[in-house]
Amino acid sequence: QLQLVESGGGLVQAGGSLRLSCTASGRTFGIYATGWFRQAPGKEREFVARVSWSGGSIYYADSVKGRFTISRDNAKNKVYLQMNSLKTEETAVYYCAAGSRAGLSPLDYNSWGQGTQVTVSS
């Protein structure tokens, strides 16, 4: 079984930066992409960014383009999300997910981490 563990969340002031990491362990066969999603209280889980296993296909939500960067290090089984110029409305639990499809929906992902809290203060 594939297991994903996020880390790097915390409290940051608006305009600041955080770097999240996702560490994978177990079986990775059949995984096409690893993505980041976030969910704020009372809201639906939303797509943030996705990177393919090869690193050749990257997608970002329009709201984070130019500010967030997703990357991966397959040798370490890690995926990163560098978040810059954070906004208060981006306070949420951030989840790492992996799946065999190239979609941007949570339904396209089979394995999920436990999430890491990101709080952006004013």
Side-chain angles (χ1 to χ4, degrees), residues 7-112:
S7 63
L11 176 65
V12 64
Q13 289 185 329
S17 299
L18 281 176
R19 187 194 192 205
L20 306 182
S21 64
C22 172
T23 302
S25 62
R27 299 178 182 179
T28 59
F29 286 112
I31 299 299
Y32 173 78
T34 305
W36 288 95
F37 295 79
R38 63 190 178 192
Q39 187 167 22
K43 296 185 178 180
E44 297 292 325
R45 189 168 300 185
E46 67 171 341
F47 169 77
V48 176
R50 186 217 74 190
V51 61
S52 65
W53 183 258
S54 67
S57 178
I58 296 176
Y59 280 87
Y60 295 99
D62 288 342
S63 62
V64 307
K65 288 180 179 177
R67 297 186 297 115
F68 289 14
T69 302
I70 189 170
S71 62
R72 70 187 312 147
D73 185 343
N74 288 345
K76 297 181 179 180
N77 287 330
K78 291 184 180 293
V79 177
Y80 305 97
L81 184 68
Q82 178 67 46
M83 306 185 294
N84 298 327
S85 301
L86 281 161
K87 305 173 181 179
T88 56
E89 58 264 37
E90 293 177 311
T91 292
V93 176
Y94 283 69
Y95 296 91
C96 174
S100 59
R101 301 173 65 179
L104 307 180
S105 167
L107 298 177
D108 294 315
Y109 294 82
N110 301 317
S111 300
W112 294 83

